[in-house]
Amino acid sequence: MYRIISGKWKAKKIAAPKNFDVRPTTDFAKEALFSMIENRFDLEFCSVLDLFAGIGSITLEFASRDCQDITSIELNPKHAGFINSTANDLDMGLQVNVQRADVFDWLKRKRNHEKKYDIIFADAPFETDESKYKEMIGLVLNNGLLKPNGVFILEHQSRLKFSHPNLKDTRKYGNVSFSFFEAEAVSE
């Protein structure tokens, strides 16, 4: 179970079926994350990409805060269906576009795609190998998916430390950290 922290559906509890193997972002970490995001962005006018969307904890938090353009990528068909049905139940169906796909394949297919995002968030399974995290960082930052002032936020175990020229900050919340990467600077 998780809850929506703020916005239209503040304090709404979302209960996923017991057989779902998921690890939603904790309320404490989510609250801190969205405080940082809302200091930088007006979410009503942002386009968001949620990678490894799980059961929609981050997706629905963005939607509750009036973000109108959220794309959620989730491979598990039951999880993707759960996000879709929950979004529809909460009248967020027009804001949320759930696509069932492998994140790495999806990112490779979207190279230099015309759609760009202000915020890309990824919460890969914690057992993901460090080399796969590095591959994902490269695919997101090198494929032109971020708008010029956009940010890629990677949720990961705190024991993992990343080194990358686009890494601007890492914030630790217990065993979870958020690493913030900025888009390549656009040369004039």
Side-chain angles (χ1 to χ4, degrees), residues 50-84:
D50 184 6
L51 302 172
F52 303 98
I55 56 171
S57 172
I58 298 297
T59 291
L60 298 177
E61 193 70 47
F62 275 111
S64 180
R65 295 167 190 247
D66 286 331
C67 184
Q68 299 300 309
D69 180 13
I70 308 152
T71 302
S72 301
I73 309 302
E74 174 54 46
L75 180 59
N76 185 306
K78 291 178 181 171
H79 296 179
F82 182 81
I83 297 169
N84 242 341

Side-chain angles (χ1 to χ4, degrees), residues 109-124:
R109 282 195 322 269
K110 298 298 179 180
R111 176 167 281 151
N112 297 318
H113 195 257
E114 58 197 49
K115 172 88 175 175
K116 308 274 187 236
Y117 300 92
D118 297 289
I119 301 166
I120 298 177
F121 180 83
D123 180 10

Side-chain angles (χ1 to χ4, degrees), residues 1-5 11-14 27 30-31 61:
M1 176 171 309
Y2 66 89
R3 71 183 176 100
I4 296 175
I5 302 292
K12 173 73 175 163
K13 292 183 179 175
I14 310 290
D27 287 358
K30 197 163 44 170
E31 209 160 343
E61 193 70 47

